[in-house]
Amino acid sequence: MKLARTLAAVLLLAAIGFASYRAYCEYVALSNLEVMIIGASIKRVGLTSADLSLTLEIRNPTSCDSPAVSTVYDIYVGGAYVGRGSLPPTAIPAGEAVRRETIVTVEYAKAATGLAEALVRGRLQVTIRGKVSTRLLFGLIPITLSFERSYGG
């Protein structure tokens, strides 16, 4: 009977230790994620709108795999808000990066100056402000971190 209690206590402590380490590792990976804009271009020009292509890279420089993260961001062209973008939940392995392209249709009325400058000068100034969200420890703990990045290609 005493052996069974001791064994149960050891297994419980091992499970708590594993869960704590996993939560810590996931948090370290999430808090060190680097979201970057590595490309921005105008893909289509129409009468009332244009399609803006953004290529984002999410890098995990840690030695821990990140849990699947959802990314939602507001897009600004030349300082004017033009829309919202998002990426599907994506896990980023330790020491690796994931690239995703997203295309956003921008109405000229929302970003007249920024898009006009891009079309005339061939220079596109894009800023994104967003949040990376996930749930740690087997989905029990929600966590969200903010970011802001600019691209002036």
Side-chain angles (χ1 to χ4, degrees), residues 9 20 22 30 42 47 52 56 58-59 64 68 72 91 102 108 121 126 132 138-139 145 151:
S20 298
R22 179 177 170 102
L30 180 67
I42 297 174
L47 292 176
L52 174 64
L56 302 182
I58 304 174
R59 180 177 302 281
C64 299
V72 177
T102 182
Y108 296 137
R121 298 184 184 174
V126 177
V132 176
F138 310 106
L145 298 173
Y151 178 86

Side-chain angles (χ1 to χ4, degrees), residues 85-153:
S86 64
L87 298 176
T90 305
I92 298 96
E96 294 186 22
V98 174
R99 287 185 179 184
R100 297 287 186 261
E101 180 184 25
T102 182
I103 296 178
V104 179
T105 300
V106 178
E107 295 175 20
Y108 296 137
K110 289 185 179 179
T113 58
L115 280 178
E117 179 181 329
L119 291 171
V120 171
R121 298 184 184 174
R123 195 177 92 219
L124 187 62
Q125 177 65 39
V126 177
T127 299
I128 58 173
R129 292 184 191 119
K131 297 178 187 283
V132 176
S133 304
T134 192
R135 298 182 74 81
L136 303 179
L137 194 57
F138 310 106
L140 298 175
I141 304 169
I143 187 165
T144 300
L145 298 173
S146 299
F147 67 90
E148 179 174 338
R149 295 294 180 269
S150 293
Y151 178 86

